[in-house]
Amino acid sequence: MSRQQGFSFWVCLGLIGLILLDLWPSQGNAIAFWQSEIFLELRLPRVLSALIGGIALGWSGLMMQTLFRNPLAGPFLIGITPGATFGVALTTYLGSSLGLNETLSHIAIQPLAALGGAFLVLSIQLAIHKKLSQMHSLLLVGLVLGYFFGAAVDIITQTAQAQQVKQFVMWGMGSFDRVLLKELIPLLGATIMGGLILTYHRHAFNTYLLGDIHVESAGKSAKSLRNWLIVGSATMAAIVTAFCGPISFVGLIAPHISRKIQGTEAHQKNIFTTAMAGGLLTLAADIIANNTLENSTLPVNAILSIIGAPLVIWMLARKSG
Amino acid sequence: MISFRASLVFATILIAISMLNGCQNAREKSGPDDIVWIKNSHAQLFRIGLTKTDSFLEVYDAPNSMLSIGKFCWGSSSKIEGYQKIENRSKIVSLSAIHTGMLAELGLGKSIVGVESKQYIAHPAIYTSSLLDSVQELAPDGPIIPEKLANLKPQILIGYVFNIQEKSTIERIAKNHFLVIWSNNHLEPHPLGRAEWIVAMGWLLGKSKESTELFQGISKEYLAIAKQAANPDQGKKSDMGSNKSNKNNRPTVMMNIPYNGQWFVPQGQSYMSQFILDAGGIPITLQPEGSGSNMVGLEKALQAMQLADIWINTDNCNTRKCLTEMDPRVLNIKALQGNRVFNFNKKLNPNGSNSYWDLGCIFPNLVLRDLHKIIQNDTQSLYFYQRCK
């Protein structure tokens, strides 16, 4: 077994361990708990959404880093999550004002609005990236877009009713608790779609990392590859954001963990381990969120930010060094 | 040898301890030597004191806190060290619906010149009168508009601290122009404590006798209902029947609704838990101590609440359909299946204001009466509550 295979094996084992740990009852008989409605309707969807959400965000990050040929790209830092958040804020506010059905709004309209916001940000980033291709400009534009959409969300919440603000604030904390079993279908659908795009174009994406000239000389269209990367990364990030709230840093960190394990940027090697690393991060955050305090649940987003922020600073320091 | 830095840390700790000790004494020993403090029945965030010549009001930031957020006096003395003297009180700005309601209840509605937003005013003495037209809105859609407040030139502003920036803005405008009384009465853990603030308002605004009598009447009825609820066999025979679901034969009561997978579950010593205990029910809480609430995920919340007999305070959800649309997993809750879900929306005005939020605080006896009836399964003629259809 090679070093890479060894690491992959341990990540897999860790992921299975975390799944079991997250599914384990906090008290009482495990068999009885696994047969209860609480398990089937609440625990199972929560653990599955954390797992699928982590995989989707990991892949979304991998695709964005490929798209911008920049290891610091991730849904949160480049502004996709704030864009999706803006879409959700808009529908939360307009939903009840227009008398939209809550279930319809939750299952269809919010994800579509999040998707719209995500595509908008990604288009702006791409347009600017053509002119400013330095690594840090991507983050700066992401920061500026984050501020812009943050301000737009502030204006929306200022005019919203107290209930809508409450809904939106709770959504913003990020949680896998709110996901219903049936909502796993679109979540899983978007993740499978992203996974298929990554797997199908894995060799072409490797060439894309070398530059557009290499893609064209290999007889492929760089524009078409870019479109696939945009569709895949934005869809996965937006759907996870719509259903679970803004989940930060997973998309940025998971591909890095994977590359560290695999020792290569080759997509065929990183698809599986990025998914494992993403799932590992979100499941760990979910376990911490639900088990740190006996009578409270911590916000998943806060936990991931506490883990993620120092890691990003470390990565930036390493890159500049 | 102890380093300079260590000595500095040690000295800082000593100073902090002595300051804390000083604050502790401050609540007991402040004011003139001959001051007599009136004992409150339940309120913890204010106290009223008297001397032969003056009256005093001290306001605190939280229950059991030593930190005074306002010291006021009025009477014949020209100046008393450490206290702000109240002289004029005919133009009042009230930034909370509860205080507006209290002023109206004391017949001081005409003194109100400005409010936070008219859409929160529900007290019938203002809502249904021409007073509503003459009152200025100072924060109709968000933060307070400083120029509007300055132009209004009030003599007293009463409000609660909800935003530290806004607090400092108001205090800046108020400096040398009008008095600001911050009242965190929403932090009073006992319903009668919150209602007792009408006594403070009455003393402050020259209606001490009326306010004391009013509160005594409220308190008397509240305590009578609580006594009856505690000993149901001594009073009218209850009809709880099959709804008795625990060993104490008291129904369990759950509160609030989930927001995006998160549920705020009141703690055991909170305002609402106290209401339920006094009404003869058992509040479902996750933490017996504490007067706040626990934010928990749906799984933890539903594990605790699934067998609740009664569900109250469903916020903006007035129908069972709305509740299940919000999260279909609440369908398994016993109270929902047994059609025992109640919301406090019976006194909703066309402008969206709800009397529960002001009258309910001033008259907790009415809320307790409703809750006692709900627990007794006698849901006729409820005042604030109605069954979710």
Side-chain angles (χ1 to χ4, degrees), chain B residues 187-252:
Chain B
L187 299 178
E188 293 280 1
H190 197 286
L192 282 175
R194 210 174 281 192
E196 201 171 355
W197 269 83
I198 201 163
V199 177
M201 300 282 281
W203 275 83
L204 188 74
L205 302 167
K207 295 265 185 180
S208 57
K209 191 168 172 277
E210 293 91 329
S211 63
T212 307
E213 279 174 9
L214 180 66
F215 176 69
Q216 280 170 351
I218 292 165
S219 177
K220 197 176 163 190
E221 196 196 336
Y222 185 100
L223 295 171
I225 299 168
K227 193 178 172 190
Q228 195 194 333
N231 309 293
D233 299 334
Q234 285 178 12
K236 242 168 74 178
K237 209 166 183 183
S238 73
D239 185 29
M240 282 158 72
S242 59
N243 293 310
K244 293 178 179 180
S245 62
N246 61 61
K247 59 181 178 184
N248 295 325
N249 290 337
R250 285 171 161 231
T252 49

Coordinates of all heavy atoms in Angstrom, one line a residue, chain B residues 187-252:
Chain B
L187 N -36.5 42.1 31.3 CA -35.6 41.0 31.9 C -36.1 40.5 33.2 O -35.5 39.6 33.8 CB -34.1 41.6 32.1 CG -33.4 42.0 30.8 CD1 -32.1 42.6 31.1 CD2 -33.3 40.9 29.8
E188 N -37.1 41.1 33.7 CA -37.7 40.6 35.0 C -38.2 39.2 34.8 O -39.0 38.9 33.9 CB -38.9 41.5 35.4 CG -38.6 42.9 35.8 CD -38.0 43.0 37.2 OE1 -37.9 42.0 37.9 OE2 -37.7 44.2 37.6
P189 N -37.7 38.2 35.6 CA -38.1 36.8 35.3 C -39.5 36.5 35.8 O -40.1 35.5 35.3 CB -37.1 36.0 36.1 CG -36.5 37.0 37.1 CD -36.7 38.4 36.6
H190 N -40.1 37.2 36.7 CA -41.4 36.9 37.2 C -42.5 37.8 36.5 O -42.2 39.0 36.4 CB -41.5 37.0 38.7 CG -42.7 36.3 39.3 ND1 -43.9 36.8 39.2 CD2 -42.7 35.1 40.0 CE1 -44.8 36.0 39.8 NE2 -44.1 34.9 40.3
P191 N -43.6 37.3 36.1 CA -44.6 38.1 35.4 C -45.0 39.3 36.3 O -45.3 40.4 35.8 CB -45.8 37.2 35.2 CG -45.1 35.8 35.1 CD -43.9 35.8 36.0
L192 N -45.1 39.0 37.6 CA -45.5 40.1 38.5 C -44.4 41.1 38.7 O -44.7 42.3 38.9 CB -46.0 39.6 39.9 CG -47.3 38.9 40.0 CD1 -47.6 38.3 41.3 CD2 -48.4 39.9 39.6
G193 N -43.2 40.7 38.5 CA -42.0 41.6 38.5 C -42.1 42.6 37.4 O -41.9 43.8 37.5
R194 N -42.5 42.1 36.2 CA -42.6 42.9 35.0 C -43.7 43.9 35.2 O -43.6 45.1 34.8 CB -42.8 42.0 33.8 CG -42.2 42.6 32.5 CD -42.3 41.7 31.4 NE -41.2 40.6 31.4 CZ -41.0 39.9 30.3 NH1 -41.7 40.0 29.2 NH2 -40.1 38.9 30.4
A195 N -44.8 43.4 35.7 CA -46.0 44.2 35.9 C -45.8 45.3 37.0 O -46.3 46.4 36.9 CB -47.2 43.4 36.3
E196 N -44.9 45.0 38.0 CA -44.7 45.9 39.1 C -44.0 47.2 38.6 O -44.0 48.2 39.3 CB -43.8 45.2 40.2 CG -44.0 45.9 41.5 CD -43.3 45.1 42.6 OE1 -42.8 44.0 42.4 OE2 -43.3 45.6 43.8
W197 N -43.5 47.2 37.4 CA -42.9 48.4 36.9 C -43.9 49.5 36.7 O -43.5 50.7 36.7 CB -42.2 48.1 35.6 CG -40.8 47.7 35.8 CD1 -40.3 46.5 36.1 CD2 -39.7 48.6 35.7 NE1 -39.0 46.5 36.2 CE2 -38.5 47.8 36.0 CE3 -39.5 49.9 35.4 CZ2 -37.2 48.3 36.0 CZ3 -38.2 50.4 35.5 CH2 -37.1 49.6 35.7
I198 N -45.2 49.2 36.7 CA -46.2 50.3 36.7 C -46.1 51.1 37.9 O -46.4 52.3 37.9 CB -47.6 49.7 36.4 CG1 -48.5 50.8 35.8 CG2 -48.2 49.1 37.6 CD1 -49.7 50.3 35.1
V199 N -45.7 50.5 39.0 CA -45.5 51.2 40.3 C -44.4 52.2 40.1 O -44.5 53.4 40.5 CB -45.3 50.3 41.5 CG1 -45.0 51.0 42.8 CG2 -46.4 49.3 41.6
A200 N -43.3 51.8 39.6 CA -42.1 52.7 39.4 C -42.5 53.9 38.5 O -42.2 55.0 38.7 CB -41.0 51.9 38.7
M201 N -43.3 53.5 37.4 CA -43.7 54.6 36.5 C -44.7 55.5 37.2 O -44.6 56.8 37.0 CB -44.5 53.9 35.3 CG -43.6 53.0 34.5 SD -42.5 53.8 33.4 CE -43.6 54.2 32.1
G202 N -45.6 55.0 38.0 CA -46.5 55.8 38.8 C -45.8 56.8 39.7 O -46.1 58.0 39.8
W203 N -44.8 56.2 40.5 CA -44.1 57.1 41.4 C -43.4 58.2 40.7 O -43.4 59.3 41.1 CB -43.1 56.2 42.2 CG -43.7 55.6 43.4 CD1 -44.4 54.4 43.4 CD2 -43.7 56.1 44.7 NE1 -44.8 54.2 44.7 CE2 -44.4 55.2 45.5 CE3 -43.1 57.2 45.3 CZ2 -44.6 55.3 46.9 CZ3 -43.3 57.4 46.7 CH2 -44.0 56.4 47.5
L204 N -42.8 57.8 39.6 CA -42.0 58.7 38.8 C -42.8 59.9 38.2 O -42.4 61.0 38.1 CB -41.3 57.9 37.6 CG -40.3 58.6 36.8 CD1 -39.0 58.7 37.5 CD2 -40.1 57.8 35.5
L205 N -44.1 59.5 37.8 CA -44.9 60.5 37.1 C -46.0 61.1 37.9 O -47.0 61.5 37.4 CB -45.4 59.9 35.8 CG -44.3 59.4 34.9 CD1 -44.8 58.5 33.8 CD2 -43.5 60.6 34.3
G206 N -45.9 61.0 39.3 CA -46.9 61.6 40.1 C -48.2 60.8 40.3 O -49.2 61.4 40.5
K207 N -48.1 59.5 40.0 CA -49.4 58.7 40.1 C -49.1 57.5 41.1 O -49.5 56.4 40.8 CB -49.8 58.2 38.8 CG -50.2 59.2 37.8 CD -51.7 59.4 37.8 CE -52.1 60.4 36.7 NZ -53.6 60.6 36.7
S208 N -48.4 57.8 42.1 CA -48.0 56.7 43.0 C -49.2 55.9 43.6 O -49.1 54.6 43.6 CB -47.1 57.2 44.1 OG -47.7 58.2 44.8
K209 N -50.2 56.6 44.1 CA -51.3 55.9 44.7 C -52.0 55.1 43.7 O -52.3 53.9 44.0 CB -52.2 57.0 45.3 CG -53.3 56.5 46.2 CD -54.0 57.6 47.0 CE -55.2 57.1 47.7 NZ -56.4 57.0 46.9
E210 N -52.3 55.6 42.5 CA -53.1 54.9 41.5 C -52.3 53.7 41.1 O -52.9 52.6 40.9 CB -53.4 55.8 40.3 CG -54.3 57.0 40.5 CD -53.5 58.2 41.0 OE1 -52.5 58.1 41.6 OE2 -54.0 59.3 40.7
S211 N -51.0 53.9 40.8 CA -50.3 52.7 40.3 C -50.1 51.6 41.3 O -50.2 50.4 41.0 CB -48.9 53.2 39.8 OG -48.2 53.7 40.9
T212 N -49.9 52.0 42.6 CA -49.8 51.0 43.6 C -51.1 50.2 43.8 O -51.1 49.0 43.9 CB -49.4 51.7 45.0 OG1 -48.3 52.5 44.7 CG2 -49.1 50.6 46.0
E213 N -52.2 50.9 43.8 CA -53.5 50.2 43.9 C -53.8 49.3 42.7 O -54.2 48.2 42.9 CB -54.6 51.3 44.0 CG -54.8 51.9 45.4 CD -55.8 53.0 45.4 OE1 -56.5 53.3 44.5 OE2 -55.8 53.6 46.5
L214 N -53.4 49.8 41.5 CA -53.6 49.0 40.3 C -52.8 47.7 40.4 O -53.3 46.6 40.2 CB -53.2 49.8 39.1 CG -53.4 49.1 37.7 CD1 -54.8 48.9 37.4 CD2 -52.8 50.0 36.6
F215 N -51.5 47.9 40.8 CA -50.7 46.7 40.8 C -51.1 45.7 41.9 O -51.1 44.5 41.7 CB -49.2 47.1 41.1 CG -48.3 45.9 41.2 CD1 -48.1 45.0 40.2 CD2 -47.8 45.6 42.5 CE1 -47.3 43.9 40.3 CE2 -47.0 44.4 42.7 CZ -46.8 43.6 41.6
Q216 N -51.6 46.3 43.1 CA -52.1 45.4 44.1 C -53.2 44.5 43.7 O -53.3 43.4 44.0 CB -52.4 46.2 45.4 CG -51.2 46.6 46.2 CD -51.5 47.6 47.3 OE1 -52.6 48.2 47.3 NE2 -50.5 47.9 48.1
G217 N -54.1 45.2 42.9 CA -55.3 44.4 42.4 C -54.8 43.3 41.4 O -55.3 42.2 41.5
I218 N -53.9 43.7 40.5 CA -53.4 42.7 39.6 C -52.7 41.5 40.3 O -53.0 40.4 40.1 CB -52.3 43.4 38.6 CG1 -53.0 44.4 37.7 CG2 -51.5 42.3 37.8 CD1 -52.0 45.4 37.0
S219 N -51.9 41.9 41.3 CA -51.1 40.9 42.1 C -52.1 40.0 42.8 O -51.9 38.8 42.9 CB -50.2 41.6 43.0 OG -49.5 40.8 43.8
K220 N -53.1 40.6 43.4 CA -54.1 39.8 44.2 C -54.7 38.7 43.3 O -54.8 37.6 43.7 CB -55.1 40.8 44.8 CG -55.9 40.2 45.9 CD -56.8 41.2 46.5 CE -57.9 40.6 47.3 NZ -59.0 41.5 47.7
E221 N -55.2 39.2 42.2 CA -55.9 38.2 41.3 C -54.9 37.1 40.8 O -55.2 35.9 40.7 CB -56.6 38.9 40.1 CG -57.6 37.9 39.5 CD -58.0 38.3 38.1 OE1 -58.0 39.5 37.7 OE2 -58.5 37.4 37.3
Y222 N -53.7 37.6 40.4 CA -52.7 36.6 39.9 C -52.4 35.6 41.0 O -52.4 34.3 40.7 CB -51.4 37.4 39.6 CG -50.3 36.6 39.0 CD1 -50.1 36.6 37.6 CD2 -49.5 35.7 39.7 CE1 -49.1 35.8 37.0 CE2 -48.5 34.9 39.1 CZ -48.3 35.0 37.8 OH -47.3 34.2 37.2
L223 N -52.2 36.0 42.2 CA -51.8 35.1 43.2 C -53.0 34.1 43.6 O -52.8 33.0 43.9 CB -51.3 35.8 44.5 CG -50.0 36.6 44.3 CD1 -49.6 37.4 45.4 CD2 -48.8 35.6 44.0
A224 N -54.2 34.7 43.5 CA -55.4 33.8 43.7 C -55.5 32.7 42.7 O -55.8 31.5 43.0 CB -56.6 34.7 43.7
I225 N -55.3 33.1 41.4 CA -55.3 32.0 40.4 C -54.2 31.0 40.6 O -54.4 29.8 40.5 CB -55.2 32.7 39.0 CG1 -56.3 33.6 38.7 CG2 -55.2 31.6 37.9 CD1 -56.2 34.5 37.5
A226 N -53.0 31.5 40.9 CA -51.9 30.6 41.2 C -52.2 29.7 42.3 O -51.8 28.5 42.3 CB -50.6 31.4 41.4
K227 N -52.8 30.2 43.3 CA -53.1 29.4 44.5 C -54.1 28.3 44.1 O -54.0 27.1 44.5 CB -53.7 30.3 45.6 CG -53.8 29.6 47.0 CD -54.3 30.5 48.0 CE -54.5 29.8 49.3 NZ -55.2 30.6 50.3
Q228 N -55.1 28.7 43.3 CA -56.1 27.8 42.9 C -55.5 26.7 42.0 O -55.9 25.5 42.1 CB -57.2 28.5 42.1 CG -58.5 27.7 41.9 CD -59.4 28.3 40.9 OE1 -59.4 29.5 40.7 NE2 -60.2 27.5 40.3
A229 N -54.6 27.1 41.2 CA -53.9 26.1 40.3 C -53.1 25.2 41.0 O -52.9 24.0 40.7 CB -53.1 26.9 39.2
A230 N -52.5 25.7 42.1 CA -51.6 24.8 42.9 C -52.4 23.8 43.7 O -52.0 22.7 44.0 CB -50.8 25.6 43.9
N231 N -53.7 24.1 44.1 CA -54.5 23.2 44.8 C -55.9 23.1 44.1 O -56.9 23.6 44.6 CB -54.8 23.7 46.3 CG -53.5 24.1 46.9 OD1 -52.7 23.2 47.2 ND2 -53.3 25.3 47.2
P232 N -55.9 22.4 43.0 CA -57.1 22.4 42.2 C -58.3 21.8 42.9 O -59.5 22.2 42.7 CB -56.8 21.6 40.9 CG -55.5 20.9 41.3 CD -54.8 21.6 42.4
D233 N -58.1 20.9 43.8 CA -59.2 20.2 44.5 C -59.9 21.2 45.5 O -61.1 21.0 45.8 CB -58.6 19.0 45.3 CG -58.0 18.0 44.3 OD1 -58.4 18.0 43.2 OD2 -57.1 17.3 44.8
Q234 N -59.2 22.2 45.9 CA -59.8 23.1 46.9 C -60.8 24.1 46.2 O -61.7 24.6 46.8 CB -58.7 23.9 47.6 CG -58.0 23.1 48.6 CD -56.9 23.9 49.3 OE1 -56.8 25.1 49.2 NE2 -56.1 23.2 50.1
G235 N -60.5 24.3 44.9 CA -61.4 25.3 44.2 C -62.4 24.5 43.4 O -62.9 23.4 43.9
K236 N -62.7 25.0 42.3 CA -63.7 24.4 41.4 C -63.1 23.1 40.9 O -61.9 23.0 40.6 CB -64.0 25.3 40.2 CG -65.4 25.7 40.1 CD -65.7 26.8 39.1 CE -65.6 26.3 37.7 NZ -65.9 27.3 36.7
K237 N -64.0 22.1 40.7 CA -63.5 20.8 40.3 C -62.9 20.9 38.8 O -63.6 21.4 38.0 CB -64.6 19.7 40.4 CG -64.0 18.3 40.6 CD -65.1 17.4 41.0 CE -64.5 16.1 41.3 NZ -65.4 15.1 41.6
S238 N -61.7 20.4 38.6 CA -61.2 20.6 37.3 C -61.6 19.4 36.4 O -62.1 18.4 36.8 CB -59.7 20.6 37.3 OG -59.2 19.3 37.6
D239 N -61.5 19.7 35.1 CA -61.9 18.7 34.1 C -60.7 18.3 33.2 O -60.7 18.2 32.0 CB -63.0 19.4 33.2 CG -63.6 18.4 32.2 OD1 -63.6 17.2 32.5 OD2 -64.0 18.8 31.1
M240 N -59.6 18.0 34.0 CA -58.4 17.6 33.2 C -58.5 16.2 32.7 O -57.9 15.9 31.6 CB -57.2 17.8 34.1 CG -56.8 19.2 34.2 SD -55.8 19.5 35.7 CE -54.3 18.8 35.2
G241 N -59.2 15.3 33.4 CA -59.5 14.0 32.9 C -58.3 13.3 32.3 O -57.2 13.2 32.9
S242 N -58.4 12.8 31.1 CA -57.4 12.0 30.4 C -56.1 12.9 30.1 O -55.1 12.3 29.7 CB -57.9 11.4 29.2 OG -58.3 12.5 28.3
N243 N -56.2 14.2 30.2 CA -55.0 15.0 29.8 C -54.0 15.0 30.9 O -52.9 15.6 30.7 CB -55.5 16.4 29.6 CG -56.3 16.5 28.3 OD1 -55.9 15.9 27.3 ND2 -57.5 17.0 28.4
K244 N -54.3 14.4 32.1 CA -53.3 14.3 33.1 C -52.3 13.3 32.6 O -52.6 12.1 32.4 CB -53.9 13.8 34.4 CG -54.9 14.8 35.0 CD -55.5 14.3 36.2 CE -56.4 15.3 36.8 NZ -57.1 14.8 38.1
S245 N -51.1 13.7 32.4 CA -50.2 12.8 31.7 C -48.9 12.5 32.5 O -48.1 11.8 32.0 CB -49.8 13.4 30.3 OG -49.1 14.6 30.6
N246 N -48.7 13.1 33.6 CA -47.5 12.8 34.3 C -47.8 12.5 35.8 O -48.9 12.6 36.2 CB -46.5 13.9 34.2 CG -47.0 15.2 34.8 OD1 -47.3 15.3 36.0 ND2 -47.2 16.2 33.9
K247 N -46.7 12.1 36.5 CA -47.0 11.6 37.8 C -47.6 12.7 38.8 O -48.2 12.4 39.7 CB -45.7 11.0 38.4 CG -44.5 12.0 38.5 CD -43.3 11.3 39.0 CE -42.2 12.3 39.1 NZ -41.0 11.7 39.5
N248 N -47.3 13.9 38.4 CA -47.9 15.0 39.3 C -49.3 15.4 38.8 O -49.9 16.3 39.4 CB -47.0 16.2 39.3 CG -45.7 15.9 39.9 OD1 -45.6 15.2 40.8 ND2 -44.6 16.5 39.3
N249 N -49.8 14.7 37.8 CA -51.1 15.0 37.3 C -51.3 16.4 36.8 O -52.3 17.0 36.8 CB -52.2 14.8 38.3 CG -52.4 13.3 38.6 OD1 -52.0 12.5 37.8 ND2 -52.9 13.0 39.8
R250 N -50.2 17.0 36.3 CA -50.2 18.3 35.7 C -49.8 18.1 34.3 O -48.8 17.4 34.0 CB -49.2 19.2 36.4 CG -49.6 19.7 37.8 CD -48.4 20.4 38.5 NE -48.9 21.2 39.5 CZ -48.6 22.5 39.7 NH1 -47.8 23.1 38.8 NH2 -49.1 23.2 40.7
P251 N -50.5 18.8 33.4 CA -50.1 18.7 32.0 C -48.8 19.4 31.6 O -48.5 20.4 32.3 CB -51.3 19.3 31.2 CG -52.0 20.2 32.2 CD -51.7 19.7 33.6
T252 N -48.1 18.8 30.7 CA -46.8 19.4 30.3 C -47.1 20.4 29.2 O -48.0 20.2 28.3 CB -45.8 18.4 29.8 OG1 -46.5 17.5 28.9 CG2 -45.3 17.5 30.9

